[in-house]
Each structure stands twice: as structure tokens, then as C-alpha cells.
């Protein structure tokens, strides 16, 4: 083969190989264009889908808002106010601290003021929620302002309704007052006919019970160990104390049983008179404090406790005291009295003869309730009333005015006002026993709030049951 032929052959091979390499490259470029166009189409389609989804969400949100607005607009003005007021109160009840609650109460207060200005009557449900929210603040000033607004709104007409029915202790012993039986008596005449405040020695009684239990435990311990030199004495002493305790506290029962057992027999057993026994055995004076202390340590009576709480709540409500504590105490009462004397205070002045007597009736209402049904006070404490007077003595600079005659330092005057207040509390409880029993039943349920108790007073039992159904 000539050089020319070989040259042409090599050139042709080189061209064919170069063309072969070029063709796939062209093919690949031609294939990329449809791929890019396909990707762009997918992105466009995806963007269209996302855009449509966002549009659907936006439309749905607008629909929800429009439905909420339309539903709210369908309510009348009273129902709109009730819905907002109930929502604000529910938010307050979810707060954890008292400071947040007091701050959050500003909105419901302004709303109630607006409702009163527009003469919009709040429903019972929203008022009860408002009272519960205010109680959560534990602020007597806020409670006083809120109850004044609710009273103006017409929802708590019985708040403070019975404070004018109290018979106040006159400063002059010769002044005659109208008693509950319709007769007129002087202060001294009425005091002479009133029952005394029950005596409460729970500290001494509990101490005696604890000492007896400790001694019984020691005797049982030695009896269990079986110590020869101690066991006979400890057993004999323990049995003797038990027999003396039974004989001392149940002497009358033993005497009756003895007379019945010896009836019709030739030999009659006759126990001596109680007063003739040594150490006044049989009267309960020797071991009565131990038995009463044991009763205090072992008594668990929910119904009894709820009755005392209901009496305290009812007394505070109908006397117009802005404090619905189910267990009133002297410290809380003294704080409320002192706060009412501060400048720009929204509380009605309590540091007066009328105000102090209302507070004393509130403190003694549980005592009157429990003593009317039980011979021994366990859940209530009559010492709280005298404790209030003692705390007020520490604030002697605040005690001004002629009507504070019973704070002149004489113990007889203090005893008179305490006895008078106890009689008024007892009369208040007896005249309203049915309503207090209804409140007690609500408290015994375990889920009742202050608002639920107010509902019983506001609308009665039937309407309260209807409120629970709703």
C-alpha cells in the first residue's frame, strides 16, 4: 500500500473515531434539554400545588374567623358580655400566683363597671365565676369592690341583707332592746338570760390524752417484753386506770344498769351518790379531760366540719363581710379590720361597734352551729373571738370613738360583748338552718366553690340544680 493510501486510511480512522466521540456528546446534550424542561415543569407544578395549599389554609383560617365572628354576632349583648366575662375569669383561675390574679382582676372589674353603666345584667353563671376568680386573689379589698359591683348589678341581692337585723349591744346597761321573742329587756336583763359561750380547753385535753396514751404504750411495752419485776405492776396499774376512767365517765350508765339488774331481787345493789365518792369520782372531773382529748384525736367527721364551714360562710355573706373564709380566725379578722381603716380603702369601715360585733358573730357562727348539735366542740374554736379583741388591743391607737366602750380595758365589758355576739350568732343560725344545711351539702360533695355556695343563697336549691345541669 502506498504512503498516500496509508495516510488516507489513517485520516479516515481518526475522523471516524472523533465523530464517534462527538456523536454521544451531541446525544447527551440533546437528552439534557428535555430533562431540564421536565424538572422545571415539576417545580412549577409543585409551586402551583403549594400555592394552592397555602391558599386553602388561608381560606380555611378566614372561614374559621368568619364563623367565630358570625357566631359571636349572633349572640345578643347580654350573652356577649357573659361570654367575655366567663372567659376572663377562667383565665384568672388558671393563674398560679396571687399577684397575677390581682393584676388580672382589673379587666373583669372594668367589664362589670361597663355592664352596670349600660344596665346589662350578668347571668348567674358568670357572676359565680367572677366571685371564684376574686376569691383566688385572697384580697378582702378586691372582694369588697367586686361584691359591690355584683350587688349593683342585681346578682347578689342577699349579700349583707341581714346586717340590719342584728341586735347590737348598747353602751348603757339600762337601755332596753327589742329581743327576738318580741319583749323589751335591758342589757343586763338580756345578758342574764343568755347561755354562756362553750368552754374550750382543747390544749389541756389533748395533752392529757397524749400522756395517757404514752403511759399505756409503756405498760404495753413492758407487758410484751415480760419483765418479771415490772410486768405485774404495769399490768395492774394500767387495768386500774382503765376501770377508773370507765367508772368516772359512765357512772350514770352503770348506776342505771345496776338498778335494772337488781330489780325484783331480795338484795338490791345501790351505788353511792356521785358527790360522796372520793375525788369526785363519777362526775367526769378526774378523767374527763383524757376522754375528751381522745375524742379530739380520733374524731373524723366530714359532715360536722362542713356544717361549721357553712355556718361561717353564711354569716359572712349575709352580714356583708367581704371575706368568705370557711374557717375564720382571729388573725384574718384583725387584718381585715385594720385594712378597713386605711386611707383610700375600698372596704367599708369595720373598726366600730357595729363592725366589730358583725365580725364577732362571724367568728362565733361555727361555734353556735356545732354546739347546737354536739356536746363537745371539735371543729370550731370559741377562743378565736376573744383572740380578735386581744389583737385589737395591740392597735390601741386605732381604737377611737365613744361606741368602742367595750375596749376600755374592763374584762366584764369584753365578756358581755362576746356573750351577746354568741347569742346573735346562735339566733342567726337557728333562723336560717335550712339554707345552711343546703350549703353544707354542697361543701360535703368535695367539689363546691365559693361561687357554688353563693348560688345556693342567690337562687335557691332548684335553680342551683338547674345551674349544675347547664
Amino acid at each position: 500500500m502506498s504512503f498516500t493510501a496509508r495516510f488516507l486510511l489513517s485520516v479516515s480512522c481518526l475522523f471516524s473515531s472523533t465523530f464517534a466521540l462527538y456523536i454521544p456528546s451531541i446525544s447527551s446534550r440533546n437528552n439534557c434539554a428535555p430533562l431540564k424542561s421536565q424538572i422545571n415543569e415539576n417545580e412549577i407544578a409543585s409551586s402551583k400545588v403549594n400555592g394552592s395549599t397555602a391558599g386553602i389554609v388561608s381560606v380555611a383560617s378566614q372561614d374559621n374567623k368568619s364563623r367565630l365572628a358570625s357566631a359571636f354576632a349572633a349572640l345578643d349583648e347580654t350573652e356577649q358580655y357573659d361570654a367575655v366575662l366567663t372567659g376572663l375569669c377562667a383565665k384568672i383561675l388558671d393563674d398560679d400566683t396571687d399577684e397575677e390574679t390581682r393584676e388580672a382582676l382589673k379587666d373583669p372589674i372594668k367589664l362589670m363597671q361597663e355592664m352596670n353603666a349600660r344596665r346589662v345584667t350578668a347571668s348567674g353563671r358568670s357572676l359565680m365565676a367572677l366571685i371564684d376568680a376574686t376569691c383566688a386573689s385572697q384580697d378582702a379589698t378586691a372582694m369588697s369592690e367586686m361584691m359591690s359591683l355584683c350587688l349593683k348589678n342585681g346578682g347578689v341581692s342577699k349579700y349583707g341583707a341581714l346586717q340590719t337585723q342584728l341586735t347590737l349591744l348598747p353602751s348603757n346597761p339600762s337601755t332596753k332592746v327589742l329581743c327576738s321573742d318580741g319583749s323589751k329587756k335591758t342589757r343586763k336583763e338580756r345578758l342574764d338570760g343568755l347561755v354562756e359561750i362553750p368552754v374550750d380547753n382543747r390544749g389541756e385535753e389533748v395533752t392529757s390524752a397524749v400522756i395517757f396514751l404514752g403511759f399505756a404504750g409503756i405498760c404495753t411495752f413492758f407487758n410484751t417484753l415480760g419483765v418479771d419485776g415490772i410486768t405485774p405492776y404495769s399490768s395492774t396499774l394500767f387495768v386500774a386506770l382503765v376501770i377508773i376512767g370507765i367508772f368516772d365517765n359512765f357512772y350514770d350508765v352503770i348506776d342505771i344498769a345496776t338498778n335494772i339488774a337488781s330489780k325484783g331481787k331480795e338484795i338490791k345493789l345501790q351505788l353511792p351518790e356521785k358527790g360522796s365518792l372520793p375525788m369526785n369520782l363519777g362526775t367526769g372531773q378526774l378523767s374527763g379531760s383524757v376522754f375528751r382529748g381522745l375524742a379530739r384525736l380520733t374524731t373524723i367527721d366530714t359532715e360536722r366540719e362542713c356544717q361549721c364551714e357553712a355556718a361561717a360562710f353564711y354569716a359572712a355573706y349575709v352580714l356583708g363581710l367581704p371575706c368568705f373564709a370557711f374557717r375564720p380566725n382571729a388573725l384574718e379578722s384583725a387584718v381585715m379590720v385594720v385594712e378597713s381603716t386605711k386611707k383610700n380603702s375600698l372596704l367599708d369601715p369595720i373598726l366600730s361597734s357595729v363592725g366589730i360585733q358583725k365580725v364577732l358573730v362571724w367568728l362565733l357562727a361555727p361555734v353556735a352551729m356545732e354546739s347546737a348539735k354536739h356536746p363537745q366542740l371539735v371543729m370550731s374554736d370559741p377562743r378565736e373571738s376573744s383572740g380578735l379583741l386581744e389583737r385589737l388591743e395591740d392597735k390601741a391607737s386605732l381604737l377611737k370613738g365613744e361606741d368602742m366602750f367595750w375596749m376600755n380595758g374592763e374584762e366584764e365589758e369584753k365578756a358581755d360583748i362576746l356573750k351577746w355576739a354568741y347569742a346573735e350568732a346562735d339566733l342567726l343560725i337557728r333562723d336560717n338552718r335550712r339554707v345552711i344545711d343546703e350549703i353544707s351539702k354542697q361543701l360535703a360533695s368535695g367539689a363546691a366553690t365559693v361561687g357554688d355556695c353563693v348560688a345556693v343563697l342567690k337562687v335557691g336549691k332548684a335553680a342551683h340544680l338547674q345551674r349544675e345541669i347547664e
Side-chain angles (χ1 to χ4, degrees), residues 270-425:
Q270 185 67 33
L271 295 179
E273 296 293 334
K274 290 191 294 186
S276 62
L277 295 174
M279 296 183 296
N280 290 325
L281 193 64
T283 60
Q285 297 180 5
L286 185 62
S287 61
S289 60
V290 175
F291 275 80
R292 288 190 293 271
L294 292 173
R296 292 186 183 278
L297 295 175
T298 58
T299 299
I300 301 176
D301 193 341
T302 303
E303 181 180 0
R304 185 173 182 173
E305 183 178 3
C306 292
Q307 289 172 350
C308 294
E309 293 177 351
F313 170 82
Y314 182 81
Y317 187 85
V318 298
L319 295 179
L321 297 175
C323 185
F324 301 149
F326 294 119
R327 289 195 173 188
N329 57 74
L331 176 59
E332 183 179 0
S333 304
V335 170
M336 183 173 60
V337 171
V338 173
E339 285 185 353
S340 68
T341 63
K342 295 181 179 179
K343 294 182 179 180
N344 301 325
S345 176
L346 297 176
L347 287 171
D348 294 332
I350 304 177
L351 192 58
S352 62
S353 180
V354 177
I356 296 299
Q357 289 188 58
K358 289 196 298 184
V359 176
L360 290 175
V361 171
W362 172 48
L363 291 172
L364 291 170
V367 180
M369 185 69 180
E370 188 174 13
S371 61
K373 294 188 174 184
H374 306 280
Q376 181 186 4
L377 298 179
V378 176
M379 303 300 175
S380 60
D381 191 349
R383 298 173 300 176
E384 296 294 344
S385 57
S386 58
L388 171 64
L389 300 183
E390 292 175 1
R391 291 179 182 275
L392 291 179
E393 286 181 350
D394 298 335
K395 301 290 183 180
S397 59
L398 301 175
L399 304 178
K400 298 178 181 179
E402 296 180 356
D403 58 346
M404 306 289 285
F405 61 92
W406 38 268
M407 292 297 294
N408 57 7
E410 295 184 7
E411 294 298 326
E412 184 179 357
E413 295 285 356
K414 296 178 184 178
D416 288 347
I417 193 173
L418 291 176
K419 187 177 181 180
W420 193 281
Y422 176 72
E424 291 298 314

Side-chain angles (χ1 to χ4, degrees), residues 107-157:
D107 292 334
I109 289 175
K110 293 180 180 178
L111 187 62
M112 280 296 297
Q113 292 173 346
E114 181 178 334
M115 293 174 67
N116 291 339
R118 296 172 63 89
R119 297 183 179 180
V120 177
T121 303
S123 66
R125 177 179 298 176
S126 60
L127 284 178
M128 300 312 110
L130 181 61
I131 292 174
D132 285 335
T134 310
C135 287
S137 67
Q138 300 182 6
D139 189 348
T141 303
M143 178 59 71
S144 177
E145 182 179 6
M146 194 64 70
M147 292 306 296
S148 298
L149 292 173
C150 294
L151 186 62
K152 186 177 180 180
N153 192 267
V156 289
S157 58

Side-chain angles (χ1 to χ4, degrees), residues 41-57:
E41 290 176 358
N42 292 336
E43 291 177 353
I44 294 172
S46 176
S47 64
K48 289 181 179 180
V49 172
N50 294 332
S52 62
T53 304
I56 293 173
V57 172

